Amino acid sequence: MNIDQLKSKMIVFSNNQDKLSILKSFNQNSVFLDLTFIDSIRPLTEFKSRYFSYMYMNYGISYDLANRIKKYFDYISTSKTYVSKKLTNLKKIKEMLLGAEIIKEFNFIKYQDMPVASINKMPIPGLFNSENIVRISTSETSDNQVKLFIAKDLESSCYSVFEKTVDLLETGIDISKIVIMNSSLEDDFHLQKLFNDASIPIHFNKNNKLNTYPEVIELLKIYKQFGFDPAKKYLSNLIKDESDSILIKPMLSIFNAFKNQDFLDYPALLINLINNKSIKPVKYTNCVNVYNYKDIVYEEEAYYLFMNYSDKTLPKTTHFSGYLTSEELVEIDYLSESEYNVYLENQDINFLNKILNLTLFFSEKAETKNRIAKLDLTRKIIQIEYEYQIKKDTYLNSLNQLEYSKTKYDYENFFLKQVNYTNLYNRYNKSVKEYKHEYSGILKTDLNYLLAKRNSLTGAKVEAFNLCQFQFLLKYILKLESFETNISLYLGNLSHKVLEEYIKTPDLDYCKLIDDFPGFPEEEVYKEEIFKLAIKKEMKILLPIIKEFDDITMFNDIKTELKFNIPFKHNKAYNITGTIDKVMIYQNSKNVNYIALIDYKLSDKDFDMERFEKKLQLQLPVYLYAYKNINDSKIVPAGFYYQSTSLGRYYNEPNVFMKKYQLKGLSLADKDILDKLNPGYELLKGIAVKQDGNFNKNAEKRVMSSKGFDNIYNQVELSFLDMINKLELGSFRINPLPAYGKRSDSISCEYCTFASICYNKNKNLGVIK
């Protein structure tokens, strides 16, 4: 590389590749020079971000045209008179831009007396009137012969590149030193399949358009429909949710480079900026790298596979005419197009001449007939007709593994030992496993992603996890169970709604609410009138009982449908969620709040302490746990209960109705508090007081001390901690609870919708051992 003529305080005209080569040489030789590098084709004028909105607002010039004419402002003089009308208009625009301080001219005077160097014959604009131009050549020519593989079509050409890569790897070449360049998009698809099938890592170092990513497509959609502020808010949420996304930096660079007013003045600006923005790929080692031709920084020890060596891609050319005609370009003394294209061709020749380890590839036909590139390379090129042939031995692991599986089957079932069985066994025995129809685990990355999206903790989830971890995975993590409407769910929702509204508005017209309540399952709509009539009859009996209870209780601070979503204090990545149907509060003279929690049930459900201890009845305890965590004031549980909202069967005796709607659950073992909750205990199932003032024997399982409620609180917390620990370990075993009593199978498996994909060996489940 002949760069000894470069001196400090010199202007050097070069492209980016030559610049990097020069700097790399300086670094290796510890040379430090003060140089100004300039690319002839890049504009030197500085443009502020307001340029695009200014051009649109004042001249109606769109983003694309405003971008295209940037390069001409270096050559437009405000002191000259032009023949061309376009140039006269550009002169006026430049004067306005300068006056508005939107552009800043390059200080040519500062560089006027500086020596100028041209690298590899790069044309120098007439703006730099240097009499002595130093011409420097960095071209180096290798004597190595070059092989040119000629394939009949694009797919065969990709095979030839793949096989050349395999040959290099087999000779011990480091995979990081193999570089494929000048591939088309279609080439990349073929290459990716070939290399992935062979388990050879490959990475495509090509910029990706920003507007091809789903998040950006969504942002543009929001912007077009709702405007700038909602789009900006969407980006803010994206930054919070996916702070490590590769989209964040380029999106922020667009939003931060311009003022909000620019986007409001010129609505299409944001769309144009995003459509013209690309994301640079992440660099990787230990893989075959694919680059665009112009992005290569040459390394002598690397092996370069140059695809599409045709006259369609080489030599590279550019066209200056477009907005301005050839005559107008001459009038402003713009670069000569022909001279610049000769320079580009020379660059291609120099680059391909100097590569020590180069292989060329040509496809006779892609979309149309191709011709080999006509570049005057000084090194000898050997043309090889390439035709892909199916080989007995393959580098595709998947095919070799399949071959091993076949020979293994023959040997184990028919004692036929194929000639290549031993070699295949030694190579693939450890990697090939017999397929089993059983769940074996979930990838840690997938699990973490799913847990982050589905992080709610509820009593029902802990119960389900304890019933069967595998069932929990399918139902709550993978969401394989489809939601189906049913009459019971509809009636439950309707009953909840009537009770909620009745407590708020005692004179509620509940019949109208029932008639207007939507969502009855369409497939059974013919039953709607019958069921709504039944609900009306039940509510006619239940609502007076509820009113009587609410009138006499001193727990008269009542809240309904209390929703909660709170971070679990021991692991804030998880939220405890749910809705408490009814909370009744009594505050004594010492400002202690006693609470009673009620959950409505369509069925006749009761709380069982033994089942709670087995983690099978956690809904009410979780409500208690959540309520205590969201209330700062001191609270003491007076009890938690289920209350039925359905008679089931009709009776004439009022006491039967009362028993049907009793509160079933646990109460605080404090008669004074229970008297304030329900004097006489008519609505507290199983609780009564004997003549001696003590609770009756049946109440022993229905009452609990404050310490007992504290123990329930702690057990709920431990259940959450245990579940989270197992979730994050990926513990999803097929572990249904064992059968108990007279049952022959597990309650975990009863009505399980995943029986067809579960491989529990319990013969009572209808699965053969």
Side-chain angles (χ1 to χ4, degrees):
M1 183 179 291
N2 181 24
I3 56 175
D4 296 338
Q5 293 174 277
L6 291 177
K7 307 295 180 184
S8 283
K9 303 296 182 182
M10 180 177 275
I11 303 173
V12 181
F13 284 86
S14 74
N15 63 18
N16 193 53
Q17 282 184 328
D18 289 338
K19 173 185 172 182
L20 292 175
S21 297
I22 291 170
L23 294 177
K24 182 179 178 181
S25 176
F26 282 165
N27 181 57
Q28 291 171 346
N29 296 290
S30 300
V31 176
F32 302 95
L33 297 178
D34 181 10
L35 302 175
T36 301
F37 286 92
I38 296 176
D39 188 333
S40 299
I41 206 167
R42 296 186 182 277
L44 299 172
T45 300
E46 292 182 21
F47 293 81
K48 291 188 177 180
S49 60
R50 288 193 299 126
Y51 168 73
F52 292 108
S53 58
Y54 183 89
M55 295 292 278
Y56 177 77
M57 293 288 291
N58 290 276
Y59 304 104
I61 295 177
S62 66
Y63 173 89
D64 290 333
L65 180 56
N67 209 27
R68 280 165 53 202
I69 63 177
K70 272 185 172 183
K71 58 189 177 184
Y72 300 131
F73 286 117
D74 289 339
Y75 297 82
I76 299 292
S77 173
T78 56
S79 62
K80 286 185 179 180
T81 302
Y82 295 101
V83 176
S84 165
K85 186 177 179 180
K86 279 186 185 176
L87 295 178
T88 302
N89 288 336
L90 284 178
K91 174 185 171 182
K92 290 179 181 178
I93 291 172
K94 182 174 181 178
E95 290 171 344
M96 294 293 289
L97 292 171
L98 287 169
E101 296 184 347
I102 291 174
I103 66 172
K104 182 180 178 182
E105 284 191 289
F106 184 75
N107 189 358
F108 291 102
I109 298 175
K110 177 182 176 182
Y111 298 94
Q112 194 168 16
D113 297 328
M114 291 177 64
V116 174
S118 170
I119 307 299
N120 297 323
K121 300 180 181 179
M122 173 174 268
I124 298 175
L127 300 166
F128 293 85
N129 298 316
S130 179
E131 296 180 0
N132 298 316
I133 298 175
V134 179
R135 303 286 181 181
I136 297 175
S137 173
T138 62
S139 61
E140 300 172 3
T141 302
S142 171
D143 294 330
N144 288 4
Q145 292 181 347
V146 177
K147 290 182 180 179
L148 170 60
F149 288 90
I150 301 174
K152 291 184 177 179
D153 52 40
L154 181 146
E155 189 172 357
S156 295
S157 185
C158 291
Y159 270 108
S160 66
V161 173
F162 168 73
E163 291 197 330
K164 177 62 180 178
T165 304
V166 172
D167 289 342
L168 292 172
L169 291 173
E170 288 186 330
T171 58
I173 302 301
D174 183 357
I175 192 171
S176 300
K177 298 301 180 184
I178 301 175
V179 178
I180 299 172
M181 54 184 173
N182 205 43
S183 60
S184 67
L185 183 60
E186 192 173 354
D187 291 330
D188 291 344
F189 288 128
H190 285 291
L191 290 173
Q192 187 165 35
K193 182 181 186 308
L194 289 170
F195 280 79
N196 287 350
D197 285 347
S199 298
I200 299 175
I202 186 170
H203 180 60
F204 297 87
N205 295 280
K206 297 182 178 182
N207 293 350
N208 296 316
K209 281 286 188 181
L210 187 60
N211 61 7
T212 60
Y213 291 85
E215 297 90 338
V216 180
I217 293 172
E218 180 65 18
L219 184 142
L220 287 173
K221 182 179 177 183
I222 292 171
Y223 180 70
K224 291 174 183 177
Q225 290 183 355
F226 305 107
F228 177 72
D229 288 335
K232 191 174 180 181
K233 184 177 180 181
Y234 173 81
L235 178 60
S236 298
N237 293 333
L238 187 66
I239 294 170
K240 293 177 185 176
D241 298 339
E242 302 181 37
S243 58
D244 57 345
S245 170
I246 60 172
L247 303 173
I248 300 301
K249 278 190 177 181
M251 289 300 297
L252 282 177
S253 69
I254 291 174
F255 276 81
N256 292 339
F258 295 82
K259 294 181 179 179
N260 292 354
Q261 193 61 43
D262 289 329
F263 296 121
L264 296 174
D265 290 341
Y266 183 17
L269 177 60
L270 180 62
I271 299 171
N272 283 306
L273 290 169
I274 290 175
N275 289 341
N276 286 276
K277 186 77 171 178
S278 296
I279 298 179
K280 291 184 178 180
V282 179
K283 301 290 184 182
Y284 290 101
T285 56
N286 298 321
C287 61
V288 175
N289 279 288
V290 183
Y291 285 94
N292 285 319
Y293 165 44
K294 291 298 183 182
D295 294 334
I296 294 292
V297 178
Y298 175 63
E299 295 181 31
E300 193 171 280
E301 63 274 17
Y303 287 75
Y304 293 90
L305 313 184
F306 192 101
M307 299 185 69
N308 298 306
Y309 186 71
S310 70
D311 61 0
K312 286 185 179 179
T313 62
L314 294 172
K316 302 290 183 184
T317 58
T318 188
H319 298 284
F320 292 154
S321 57
Y323 178 73
L324 296 182
T325 64
S326 300
E327 292 77 12
E328 289 168 334
L329 291 173
V330 171
E331 189 175 352
I332 61 173
D333 198 19
Y334 195 74
L335 283 171
S336 165
E337 182 179 298
S338 59
E339 185 180 357
Y340 197 81
N341 282 330
V342 169
Y343 160 73
L344 290 178
E345 182 176 357
N346 188 57
Q347 283 292 111
D348 293 337
I349 293 171
N350 290 342
F351 181 69
L352 294 177
N353 270 335
K354 77 175 179 181
I355 298 178
L356 187 64
N357 305 299
L358 174 67
T359 307
L360 303 174
F361 298 87
F362 170 74
S363 169
E364 289 184 344
K365 186 177 180 182
E367 295 180 357
T368 57
K369 188 77 172 176
N370 288 336
R371 291 174 298 190
I372 295 175
K374 294 181 179 179
L375 288 179
D376 191 16
L377 300 186
T378 57
R379 58 202 303 186
K380 185 176 181 181
I381 298 178
I382 301 173
Q383 296 188 9
I384 300 172
E385 296 288 336
Y386 173 84
E387 186 172 349
Y388 173 68
Q389 294 180 348
I390 297 176
K391 300 174 178 60
K392 185 175 181 181
D393 295 326
T394 174
Y395 293 100
L396 304 184
N397 279 333
S398 56
L399 296 183
N400 277 332
Q401 288 170 353
L402 180 61
E403 184 66 23
Y404 164 65
S405 299
K406 288 159 58 179
T407 58
K408 180 184 177 185
Y409 181 84
D410 289 342
Y411 181 68
E412 292 181 350
N413 290 277
F414 307 112
F415 304 104
L416 296 174
K417 190 173 184 179
Q418 303 292 345
V419 176
N420 58 345
Y421 173 73
T422 302
N423 287 334
L424 290 171
Y425 176 87
N426 291 335
R427 185 172 180 183
Y428 295 106
N429 180 50
K430 291 183 180 180
S431 61
V432 175
K433 295 181 180 180
E434 184 178 349
Y435 176 68
K436 294 182 179 180
H437 300 273
E438 294 186 26
Y439 169 77
S440 59
I442 184 170
L443 288 174
K444 187 67 175 177
T445 51
D446 294 339
L447 176 63
N448 291 341
Y449 173 81
L450 291 169
L451 290 179
K453 297 290 184 182
R454 295 155 192 175
N455 62 347
S456 62
L457 299 174
T458 65
K461 283 191 174 182
V462 182
E463 290 176 26
F465 191 80
N466 188 56
L467 280 171
C468 178
Q469 293 174 4
F470 181 62
Q471 187 183 101
F472 178 90
L473 169 70
L474 302 178
K475 184 175 181 179
Y476 290 103
I477 303 297
L478 300 181
K479 298 282 188 183
L480 297 184
E481 187 175 63
S482 59
F483 175 79
E484 294 181 3
T485 58
N486 59 74
I487 294 178
S488 295
L489 180 62
Y490 174 84
L491 296 178
N493 292 335
L494 176 53
S495 300
H496 279 63
K497 187 65 177 176
V498 172
L499 292 172
E500 177 191 356
E501 295 300 325
Y502 179 74
I503 292 170
K504 296 177 184 176
T505 312
D507 59 349
L508 172 74
D509 185 355
Y510 65 88
C511 289
K512 185 176 187 308
L513 191 153
I514 292 171
D515 288 334
D516 296 341
F517 196 73
F520 197 90
E522 290 185 9
E523 63 274 13
E524 299 184 271
V525 71
Y526 60 92
K527 302 177 183 178
E528 182 174 3
E529 186 176 347
I530 298 172
F531 276 100
K532 285 189 172 181
L533 179 62
I535 287 287
K536 289 176 185 177
K537 289 181 178 180
E538 293 190 341
M539 288 300 163
K540 185 178 181 181
I541 298 169
L542 173 60
L543 294 181
I545 295 174
I546 296 292
K547 184 178 186 306
E548 182 182 349
F549 174 56
D550 290 347
D551 287 344
I552 64 173
T553 184
M554 295 186 69
F555 283 66
N556 48 24
D557 183 3
I558 301 174
K559 305 179 189 300
T560 60
E561 293 295 309
L562 184 65
K563 299 182 185 296
F564 57 87
N565 187 341
I566 57 173
F568 181 45
K569 59 186 178 183
H570 296 293
N571 189 333
K572 293 188 177 180
Y574 296 85
N575 290 337
I576 305 171
T577 64
T579 302
I580 306 173
D581 292 337
K582 186 176 182 181
V583 181
M584 304 179 71
I585 306 169
Y586 162 71
Q587 188 178 80
N588 67 9
S589 58
K590 296 180 180 179
N591 294 325
V592 176
N593 289 318
Y594 290 86
I595 61 163
L597 307 178
I598 298 174
D599 186 66
Y600 300 129
K601 290 294 180 188
L602 195 64
S603 59
D604 192 18
K605 189 171 184 177
D606 200 348
F607 182 79
D608 187 329
M609 191 64 188
E610 290 183 6
R611 288 174 64 80
F612 163 72
E613 290 171 350
K614 294 178 181 178
K615 301 179 184 176
L616 292 179
Q617 207 167 65
L618 284 159
Q619 185 180 17
L620 289 174
V622 166
Y623 287 170
L624 173 64
Y625 182 88
Y627 193 82
K628 290 193 72 171
N629 276 276
I630 59 179
N631 287 275
D632 296 331
S633 59
K634 184 178 179 182
I635 64 167
V636 177
F640 50 62
Y641 312 95
Y642 293 114
Q643 185 173 38
S644 176
T645 62
S646 172
L647 281 172
R649 296 176 64 184
Y650 292 99
Y651 299 91
N652 293 323
E653 297 83 358
N655 64 324
V656 175
F657 297 144
M658 184 68 74
K659 287 182 180 179
K660 187 68 179 175
Y661 293 121
Q662 281 182 317
L663 302 175
K664 306 172 185 69
L666 278 182
S667 300
L668 183 66
D670 186 328
K671 292 187 289 296
D672 291 337
I673 295 301
L674 294 187
D675 284 339
K676 290 177 174 56
L677 176 64
N678 179 214
Y681 308 147
E682 295 90 352
L683 274 182
L684 298 178
K685 182 177 176 62
I687 297 179
V689 177
K690 297 184 294 185
Q691 289 183 351
D692 60 7
N694 294 319
F695 288 113
N696 65 337
K697 187 175 181 180
N698 291 334
E700 291 178 1
K701 294 184 178 180
R702 296 283 182 180
V703 295
M704 179 168 285
S705 65
S706 291
K707 187 175 181 180
F709 277 106
D710 289 341
N711 289 335
I712 288 177
Y713 178 95
N714 293 331
Q715 286 185 60
V716 170
E717 192 165 89
L718 290 173
S719 296
F720 282 148
L721 287 169
D722 179 60
M723 175 179 165
I724 290 172
N725 181 51
K726 289 177 180 176
L727 281 177
E728 295 185 342
L729 289 174
S731 175
F732 299 109
R733 298 178 297 119
I734 300 175
N735 61 338
L737 287 179
Y740 64 91
K742 295 182 180 180
R743 299 178 65 93
S744 60
D745 59 359
S746 170
I747 60 169
S748 309
C749 303
E750 191 174 19
Y751 309 118
C752 179
T753 56
F754 307 110
S756 61
I757 55 175
C758 173
Y759 295 92
N760 189 317
K761 299 303 186 290
N762 183 350
K763 64 180 179 181
N764 293 308
L765 301 180
V767 180
I768 300 174
K769 283 188 176 180

